[in-house]
Amino acid sequence: MSMKVYNTLTRKKEEFVPIEPGKVKMYVCGPTVYNLIHIGNARPMIVFDTVRRYLEYKGYEVNYVSNFTDVDDKIIKKAIEEGVDADVISERYIGECKKDMAALNVKPATVHPLATREISGMLEMIEQLIHKGHAYRAADGTVYYRTRSFREYGKLSHKNLEDLRGGSRSLLVSGEDQKEDSLDFVLWKPKKEGEPYWESPWCQGRPGWHIECSVMSRKYLGEEIDIHAGGEDLVFPHHENEIAQSEAANGKTFARYWMHNAFLNIDNRKMSKSLGNFFTVREIGEKYDLQILRFFMLSAHYRSPLNFSQELMEAAKNGYDRIATSVGNIKFLLENTKGGETLTHQESGLLKEADEYRKKFDGAMDDDFNTADALSAVFELVKFINTHVSEKSSRAFLSALKEEILLLCDICGLILDRKEEMLDAEVERLIEERREARKARNFARADEIRNQLLEKGIILEDTREGVKWKRA
Ligand code: AMP
Ligand code: ZN
């Protein structure tokens, strides 16, 4: 069965054909690291991790690159507030973000490049753009992209250049009047007092935001990639500008498929740091198992807005628990069944019937990753399992069904068979919290955590290289 992917570029569902058979090159714009991520930021992480998992299940080798933006006004502002260097802030929140990703069972990317480590590549691409007439240096050393030099500008967001120009004229602010055109955007800007900066042929300064993704994508995936993804707020200007940069520099189509998730809302408004209407992943993790948050995110199609509410989280909890109970039941029966080892004739027939649910699941995922319908197929399988397993079932029958349901859950990144993987993330989180408690000389809390872990059979060992742990 062929797969269909909705492409923002053409506004159509298209058949998925990768550039190289059997391989997928995928780039997902990552977060700016100046704070704990909120659950809106978690939506693209979960959605595109699920896309990746499904592609892998279909046999593709996926090269998945996702950056951290570690130089930005907000990071610098926070560093000034705390009186530390910007990299102290970004390193801290990259660490925190990775912990959240682990708890959400989002696989680490093949590469997680950092903007500050890729400056030489950015200088190179900016040089290329200047050389080809697509960029220019203004008197103060700022380098701008010459937007009108890229004839296809606006093709992703379906915007017309003239309309854009009309809309942005009033936005010209002081300092920007060195631009040739109101639509030109910054590739490199001069340093300000107290900010991190790098040497460049144009001035001591730092990159604009958009250039990092064009550069990292080219470096780690090549000039042409299969899928470029992110939240829908990135379509314009970020992804539009990335296309302008990459296609002008490389002379090739940048990405074949552009995928964008809709917003996670709260009271029908986009959840965002600036509106202050957000919950961090950490906060939700205090109330719920984060697998339930993952389930919640997948219960809607990724291109539909999703409104976060207590009721929907409770509904997600019920749904997730229903699957978990069914898996738990099979596991119990596997240990206690009075049935034989091998399949009975009737069970063979039933397993063929159960195949239909996998087909339904695949059909839903092949249709632009419709996880909502895919989860419905999982529930049908749960119902089937609950109806047909008993203590008379053979071990082969129980094992086959257990594998089937766990496979479908695993494609969704849902952990139902609670083993070390989930616990590891939790242990790491507690160890980190204990380290912080000790640093803050809160030894009571540190001891409490040690005991809490001991109760779960986790033994801590303080060594010179840091804390090591093992299971009792
Ligand atoms: P940022 O750190 O704001 O650049 O966001 C990182 C990623 O999260 C981007 O792909 C954004 O589009 C996405 N994002 C931010 N807020 C939301 C939201 N409320 N719902 C869905 N995606 C979001
Ligand atoms: Zn990006």
Side-chain angles (χ1 to χ4, degrees):
M1 245 284 273
S2 71
M3 277 175 60
K4 293 239 156 48
V5 179
Y6 181 88
N7 191 350
T8 308
L9 195 65
T10 55
R11 290 184 167 167
K12 284 195 192 91
K13 277 188 203 168
E14 294 174 13
E15 190 176 335
F16 181 71
V17 185
I19 297 166
E20 206 180 319
K23 296 199 172 160
V24 178
K25 292 179 247 191
M26 184 164 177
Y27 187 99
V28 181
C29 291
T32 306
V33 278
Y34 66 102
N35 224 324
L36 291 176
I37 57 162
H38 62 69
I39 58 175
N41 301 132
R43 190 171 188 194
M45 288 177 184
I46 294 169
V47 159
F48 297 117
D49 178 64
T50 307
V51 168
R52 172 195 190 169
R53 284 169 182 269
Y54 187 67
L55 290 167
E56 286 173 346
Y57 157 74
K58 295 278 269 193
Y60 290 106
E61 188 187 307
V62 184
N63 192 348
Y64 190 99
V65 177
S66 190
N67 64 309
F68 286 114
T69 299
D70 63 344
V71 56
D72 162 272
D73 288 344
K74 293 181 222 111
I75 300 173
I76 294 169
K77 183 164 168 265
K78 181 118 177 174
I80 293 170
E81 275 164 22
E82 289 194 19
V84 294
D85 285 344
D87 56 4
V88 173
I89 301 293
S90 55
E91 271 171 34
R92 183 196 304 157
Y93 290 109
I94 287 169
E96 298 300 338
C97 181
K98 286 187 174 169
K99 277 191 240 163
D100 287 339
M101 285 167 64
L104 291 164
N105 202 25
V106 169
K107 288 195 201 188
T110 319
V111 194
H112 278 290
L114 307 181
T116 55
R117 310 274 165 85
E118 307 289 345
I119 301 291
S120 64
M122 298 192 214
L123 298 182
E124 195 187 314
M125 190 177 277
I126 297 171
E127 288 265 26
Q128 272 179 321
L129 290 170
I130 294 177
H131 182 72
K132 290 186 169 185
H134 290 291
Y136 59 95
R137 179 189 185 279
D140 69 350
T142 307
V143 181
Y144 291 104
Y145 187 93
R146 186 175 279 128
T147 302
R148 79 183 124 81
S149 73
F150 186 66
R151 298 231 339 260
E152 292 175 284
Y153 194 81
K155 69 176 172 180
L156 180 71
S157 50
H158 305 271
K159 288 183 194 292
N160 171 309
L161 234 114
E162 285 317 310
D163 291 349
L164 280 171
R165 192 168 285 118
S168 67
R169 190 159 293 146
S170 57
L171 295 178
L172 273 184
V173 288
S174 69
E176 296 222 324
D177 44 9
Q178 299 186 351
K179 285 183 185 186
E180 290 175 359
D181 186 303
S182 60
L183 289 180
D184 294 351
F185 59 90
V186 172
L187 297 174
W188 187 265
K189 56 184 166 190
K191 69 169 181 184
K192 288 198 199 122
E193 198 50 43
E195 291 187 354
Y197 68 89
W198 290 264
E199 299 294 334
S200 84
W202 317 291
C203 64
Q204 290 178 328
R206 61 184 169 101
W209 170 36
H210 314 296
I211 192 75
E212 68 181 66
C213 292
S214 286
V215 167
M216 295 175 189
S217 181
R218 175 165 86 174
K219 176 165 171 189
Y220 295 100
L221 297 171
E223 292 179 342
E224 291 178 280
I225 69 168
D226 296 297
I227 300 176
H228 195 114
E232 68 180 358
D233 52 340
L234 300 188
V235 174
F236 188 86
H238 185 52
H239 287 163
E240 196 70 71
N241 291 354
E242 280 187 36
I243 291 178
Q245 293 164 162
S246 295
E247 299 197 352
N250 304 330
K252 293 191 180 134
T253 302
F254 182 26
R256 284 197 173 185
Y257 305 92
W258 287 86
M259 294 180 70
H260 295 98
N261 64 275
F263 291 143
L264 178 76
N265 293 329
I266 192 157
D267 299 325
N268 298 310
R269 288 174 81 192
K270 180 194 174 194
M271 182 177 287
S272 74
K273 286 264 156 65
S274 53
L275 290 173
N277 59 349
F278 64 89
F279 290 107
T280 60
V281 170
R282 244 8 106 74
E283 283 169 319
I284 298 303
E286 282 165 16
K287 285 202 194 140
Y288 293 96
D289 180 336
L290 285 172
Q291 291 301 294
I292 293 168
L293 182 64
R294 184 164 182 129
F295 181 96
F296 164 79
M297 296 286 186
L298 299 179
S299 64
H301 188 269
Y302 74 92
R303 283 188 292 111
S304 304
L306 178 57
N307 208 39
F308 180 81
S309 71
Q310 195 73 24
E311 295 78 54
L312 285 179
M313 275 302 281
E314 286 301 318
K317 182 173 183 319
N318 288 339
Y320 176 81
D321 286 349
R322 240 164 75 211
I323 307 175
T325 306
S326 184
V327 172
N329 189 27
I330 302 187
K331 282 167 78 178
F332 176 83
L333 289 173
L334 264 172
E335 279 166 25
N336 297 288
T337 183
K338 298 186 186 75
E341 289 298 321
T342 51
L343 289 179
T344 64
H345 181 66
Q346 193 205 4
E347 285 175 343
S348 301
L350 282 170
L351 283 187
K352 282 211 186 80
E353 239 180 83
D355 270 355
E356 288 306 310
Y357 303 113
R358 164 101 71 108
K359 284 197 192 119
K360 264 193 176 171
F361 180 94
D362 287 2
M365 293 296 276
D366 283 340
D367 184 14
D368 191 30
F369 307 97
N370 191 335
T371 53
D373 285 358
L375 284 179
S376 299
V378 172
F379 281 118
E380 287 180 42
L381 177 61
V382 164
K383 198 166 157 209
F384 178 88
I385 290 172
N386 294 348
T387 313
H388 295 291
V389 299
S390 75
E391 8 178 79
K392 293 192 201 106
S393 303
S394 74
R395 215 174 289 279
F397 182 62
L398 292 166
S399 299
L401 288 175
K402 180 180 152 207
E403 263 169 42
E404 187 66 15
I405 185 114
L406 288 182
L407 171 68
L408 300 190
C409 290
D410 188 53
I411 296 168
C412 297
L414 292 168
I415 302 170
L416 268 300
D417 194 15
R418 298 214 161 264
K419 274 199 312 225
E420 290 161 21
E421 210 180 343
M422 182 63 186
L423 278 173
D424 281 0
E426 174 73 352
V427 171
E428 302 283 357
R429 191 184 70 72
L430 284 167
I431 288 177
E432 180 57 25
E433 197 189 328
R434 177 169 170 268
R435 195 184 63 77
E436 276 159 12
R438 286 171 57 145
K439 209 165 119 197
R441 310 194 70 75
N442 182 353
F443 296 110
R445 175 68 187 138
D447 285 344
E448 193 181 302
I449 292 172
R450 176 187 278 276
N451 291 336
Q452 194 182 339
L453 287 168
L454 250 183
E455 267 174 27
K456 289 188 186 166
I458 307 291
I459 298 166
L460 300 187
E461 220 183 302
D462 291 302
T463 72
R464 239 184 284 159
E465 298 90 57
V467 178
K468 298 221 165 103
W469 61 274
K470 61 178 184 203
R471 291 173 198 280

